[in-house]
Amino acid sequence: MVKEIEKTGIPVVHICTVVPISLTVGANRIVPAVAIPHPLGNPNLDAKDEKKVRRSIIEKSLEALTTPVEEQTVFE
Amino acid sequence: MTSKFKVVHYINQFYAGIGGEEKADIEPFTKAEVIGPGIAFTNVFGDEAEIVGTVVCGDSYFNENLESAEKKVIDFIKSYNPDLVIAGPAFNAGRYGMACGAVAKAVMEELNIPAVTGMYEENPGLDMFKKDAYIVPTKSSAAGMRKAVPVIARLALKLLKKEEVSPEADNYFVRHRVNFQAEQRGSQRAVDMLIKKLKGEEFITEYPMPEFDNVAPGEAITDLSKAKIALVTSGGIVPKGNPDHIESSSASKYGQYDISGIDFLTEATYETAHGGYDPVYANQDPNRVLPLDVVREMEKEGKIGSLHQFFYSTVGNGTSVANAKKFAAEIAEKLRADGVDAVILTST
């Protein structure tokens, strides 16, 4: 899906937990997520801290979208 | 050698010298002679084989009358009582590739003789028929004829002589698994491969991963505060009750959902339709999969220009690559039409 969208020229950042799959499939901008059932959250934290985690992943993703890349890049 | 092997050649109206698109609707016919590219094959065959007849059909006619055209072509081929059939090569001509593949398949299944054709890797006929026929990779256009002919002809000769062939040695697309008895058991072979890998030596995997064709990265966003961002997910987030009935696995559809005026997702209003992960956390707080709350906040703070009015969602659980591509192509078209600058795609 990432590739079909990016093919049209729209940059896509892929937030996913299993980075090797994203790399194999061919996403160009990848941001690692927390866990498969809650990629952008952590139920072990209280609501405030959980939202901080989510915000930091989104900030990382926006940074990825503003970074020119030539090849597949993982934004850790 | 006392007698030559008999080969029949299948070609389209163009290679038969009849005409281009304006003649693509001609019905099948045959001549007991060598026509067009058949001459080049004859040169490689030498004394070992000869083309005893050529069957011609227009590409449009074949594809519009699949069953009846195939039957006529096969009847013509059968009338020569051949030992093998060569079709094309079709290069990247889609309809010709479909015809060559269909003819080759029918020849192998109904006449029980081998059939060889040639196609460019993106010819739709390849995906459709690579399990059925011997298909040699070619260039995308007829400019590759000179290179393709010897490969096809040599493979044909080996098949005629019932010699063993393999995709690696004889240069054709892998058809299907071949069973064989290995000398060492699987664990031994796997450890041998691992050791080679650790040493940085070459090894050949017994289970190659499918190849994915990569796309060029989209251009970076220069000014986020003016960018329109859209959210897309394969994590199956849908309005409560899953109004579009997106399947929990092997999804056949995606949903488009309006989030204008919505600041965050709640347990009461949204859920996941995904059947491939534990849904408890996503159902408790769907923002964990589709981060609407945070992205909306950042929109209000002016960090991003705007959040797109819709989000798109499907279930990436055993969903075929073909379906995923189809969904995303449609989604991409809508995103472009709506002036979306960048996409955040989340996967579980």
Side-chain angles (χ1 to χ4, degrees), chain B residues 80-91:
Chain B
Y80 294 101
N81 197 20
D83 301 303
L84 179 140
V85 169
I86 288 176
F91 306 103

Side-chain angles (χ1 to χ4, degrees), chain B residues 142 145 185:
Chain B
M145 185 69 85
R185 62 176 188 235

Side-chain angles (χ1 to χ4, degrees), chain A residues 1 3-4 6 8 11-15 24 28-29 36 40 43 50-51 54-55 58-59 65-66 68-69, chain B residues 212-213 215 217-221 281 287-288 293 297 301 303 325 328 336 341-343 345-348:
Chain A
M1 292 185 78
K3 282 192 302 185
E4 278 304 307
E6 194 143 53
T8 67
V12 182
V13 59
H14 191 205
I15 303 176
T24 309
N28 289 312
R29 292 178 171 90
I36 290 174
L40 289 117
E50 184 176 12
K51 205 164 168 189
R54 181 149 59 245
R55 175 135 184 154
I58 295 300
E59 278 169 353
L65 286 171
T66 51
V69 301
Chain B
F212 297 96
D213 44 334
V215 301
E219 261 187 56
I221 301 295
Y281 311 104
N287 300 288
R288 286 170 175 158
D293 57 350
E297 261 177 30
E301 293 165 11
K303 294 244 165 48
K325 278 180 84 156
R336 274 187 73 84
D341 297 305
V343 168
L345 196 152
T346 62
S347 291
T348 44

